[in-house]
Amino acid sequence: MDNVTLALIFTLFAGLATGVGSLLAFFAKTTNTKFLSFALGLSAGVMIYVSMIEIFFQAKVALVSSLGYTEGYWVTVLAFFGGMLLIGVIDKLIPTYSNPHEIKKVEDMEKPGKAIQDPELMKMGIFTAIAIGIHNFPEGIATFISTLQDPSVGFAIAVAVAIHNIPEGIAVSVPIYYATGSRKKAFKLSFLSGLAEPVGAVLAFLILMPFLNEFVMGITFAMVAGIMVFISLDELLPAAKRYDEAHLSIYGVIAGMTIMAISLIYLQ
């Protein structure tokens, strides 16, 4: 299977995990906070390690080869922080009340006395779905580009992104369910918000592929590294700590870094 097809499959897999979160909200009785805390920490560990150790390094090699050592290194650093700036601006433009990373639990689906047919809840749910969709665009590009360069790294990123999409699916489903009383509508919107990830991948393919050379790949890789470090520090770790029990999130970070380190050694 060629890397482009594989990259699209990995990105679709990561995006559809929001639907998994939605299903958990409907069929589980309680939120497994220990699992989510550890899993989100693990996801952050994978993203941070692969970004700083592998992707940033590959970007630097490509740009130094194209521009020379000093200029190439500077461009790598600037593109890395440019990726952080891009995702930071996206975050800033999303209204705080529709923040997709506000913690929701499965138990919220069964709270007595919750209002049904509440238009404000519907509005919150739709904005949350839109916010997650916007966030998923750069994540889809990151997964796609990483898989093109190295499928083993792309797979690790896809799994990490999928893990962090699960609680986002819950965040979309809870308010929409209470606004409409329909599990079907809640699942549908949650599912659709995840599709922004493969859409981001397709856009990356259509826009970047005709221009892909060592320089463009280096810039893109450095920005991807910055995006993933920002997501880890701004989204994954705070969410993991909110679910946290007995430092499980930090154990997850260490486990994620360890798994990624061993994987990179044996998959080279």
Side-chain angles (χ1 to χ4, degrees), residues 51-265:
S51 296
M52 301 302 296
I53 302 300
E54 184 75 5
I55 297 178
F56 183 91
F57 176 76
Q58 290 185 12
K60 178 188 165 190
V61 168
L63 289 169
V64 165
S65 176
S66 296
L67 304 172
Y69 184 81
T70 302
E71 188 175 350
Y73 205 156
W74 266 110
V75 171
T76 305
V77 171
L78 290 172
F80 175 78
F81 286 108
M84 287 188 168
L85 179 63
L86 173 64
I87 193 70
V89 168
I90 290 172
D91 246 5
K92 195 71 177 174
L93 294 175
I94 295 172
T96 54
Y97 66 85
S98 62
N99 189 323
H101 305 104
E102 179 187 344
I103 291 300
K104 299 283 193 307
K105 293 185 178 182
V106 172
E107 295 90 312
D108 294 340
M109 297 294 288
E110 305 299 336
K111 282 183 180 176
K114 275 278 189 177
I116 304 291
Q117 307 297 335
D118 185 338
E120 283 303 309
L121 279 175
M122 185 65 181
K123 185 177 179 181
M124 180 196 296
I126 290 172
F127 270 107
T128 302
I130 292 170
I132 288 173
I134 292 169
H135 272 82
N136 284 352
F137 263 92
E139 291 170 11
I141 293 170
T143 306
F144 181 82
I145 293 295
S146 300
T147 306
L148 282 186
Q149 182 70 16
D150 187 337
S152 60
V153 172
F155 177 72
I157 292 169
V159 172
V161 171
I163 290 170
H164 113 270
N165 280 347
I166 290 172
E168 292 185 352
I170 297 172
V172 175
S173 297
V174 171
I176 291 175
Y177 171 68
Y178 279 112
T180 64
S182 169
R183 295 174 188 266
K184 184 178 178 181
K185 287 182 181 178
F187 174 77
K188 183 180 175 182
L189 269 174
S190 176
F191 179 83
L192 288 174
S193 69
L195 290 182
E197 216 141 288
V199 168
V202 170
L203 286 176
F205 175 76
L206 294 175
I207 295 170
L208 293 176
M209 286 300 285
F211 307 102
L212 272 188
N213 53 38
E214 202 165 41
F215 174 77
V216 173
M217 184 62 84
I219 291 284
T220 306
F221 244 50
M223 291 188 71
V224 162
I227 287 169
M228 291 201 300
V229 170
F230 186 96
I231 288 169
S232 299
L233 298 178
D234 184 61
E235 300 174 12
L236 297 183
L237 289 177
K241 291 301 290 181
R242 286 195 290 272
Y243 283 118
D244 201 5
E245 294 186 30
H247 306 294
L248 277 175
S249 59
I250 300 304
Y251 301 151
V253 170
I254 295 168
M257 288 184 170
T258 304
I259 291 167
M260 198 66 247
I262 294 170
S263 299
L264 290 174
I265 291 169

